Amino acid sequence: MAGRENSFGGLQIKATPLMLNGVLYFASPDNAWAVDAHSGKELWHYFWKTTGGIHIGNRGVGIYGNWLFFETPDDYLVSLDARTGKERWHIQIADVKQEYFSTPAPIIIGNHVMVGTGGDTLDVPGFLESVDLKPARCSGSGGASAEEGRPGSETWRTKPPCGTAAV
């Protein structure tokens, strides 16, 4: 990759790679890769067919066993088989039409995947969601919220935006 530092296939990699069992996993908006850490050979590449969103970057992937997780700019959490790159499922975590965008690396805690959004381009408050690993379903919203009665609290969302799984 001489002359293309910090890029892969013409895309910039802003994510921290995750290495497990000699395989490096990378992500960029709408893409995930597995690369042999010793040879640098691409093992697989996954491309998400986006519906929009802000493509400013992707902060990485999360992994649990043989399951890889990453967020897309159009607010989906995608689960892949880490060995093959084949999609297992995806779930909508926010509505891109409401100006949310997703760039964080998912964090695995127990049997949950923690995901988050941003929305600072239009002062949409970001939030965190907990998604069950099995089955793929929203467990509820945690994250930033204003206390009732505080100035501006009426502008904060009170219901979790998590969508339904699509197989």
Side-chain angles (χ1 to χ4, degrees):
M1 290 183 29
R4 293 188 341 181
E5 292 88 40
N6 201 32
S7 68
F8 204 76
L11 298 170
Q12 284 193 346
I13 302 290
K14 297 179 180 180
T16 301
L18 180 70
M19 187 168 93
L20 182 65
N21 300 325
V23 177
L24 289 167
Y25 298 95
F26 298 90
S28 71
D30 301 324
N31 294 271
W33 291 271
V35 175
D36 183 287
H38 179 71
S39 69
K41 179 183 175 190
E42 179 180 302
L43 301 174
W44 54 258
H45 172 224
Y46 174 86
F47 176 72
W48 171 257
K49 293 180 183 172
T50 189
T51 60
I54 299 173
H55 288 68
I56 62 170
N58 182 291
R59 304 299 177 228
V61 300
I63 197 161
Y64 177 85
N66 289 319
W67 302 337
L68 185 96
F69 302 91
F70 78 104
E71 294 186 37
T72 67
D74 56 351
D75 305 309
Y76 284 85
L77 172 66
V78 178
S79 176
L80 305 176
D81 183 314
R83 297 164 295 193
T84 64
K86 183 177 179 179
E87 184 177 319
R88 297 178 55 244
W89 50 259
H90 61 269
I91 185 170
Q92 186 178 21
I93 55 177
D95 185 351
V96 71
K97 292 177 184 167
Q98 292 180 352
E99 300 298 325
Y100 286 105
F101 59 93
S102 299
T103 64
I107 299 172
I108 312 301
I109 301 174
N111 64 338
H112 290 86
V113 182
M114 297 299 297
V115 295
T117 67
D120 58 348
T121 56
L122 289 177
D123 289 331
V124 178
F127 60 86
L128 298 174
E129 292 288 340
S130 172
V131 177
D132 286 341
L133 288 168
K134 308 179 272 193
R137 64 183 166 85
C138 179
S139 303
S141 183
S145 63
E147 292 180 32
E148 192 173 324
R150 303 279 286 179
S153 64
E154 70 280 358
T155 67
W156 287 65
R157 177 175 54 78
T158 57
K159 295 181 182 176
C162 216
T164 57
V167 179

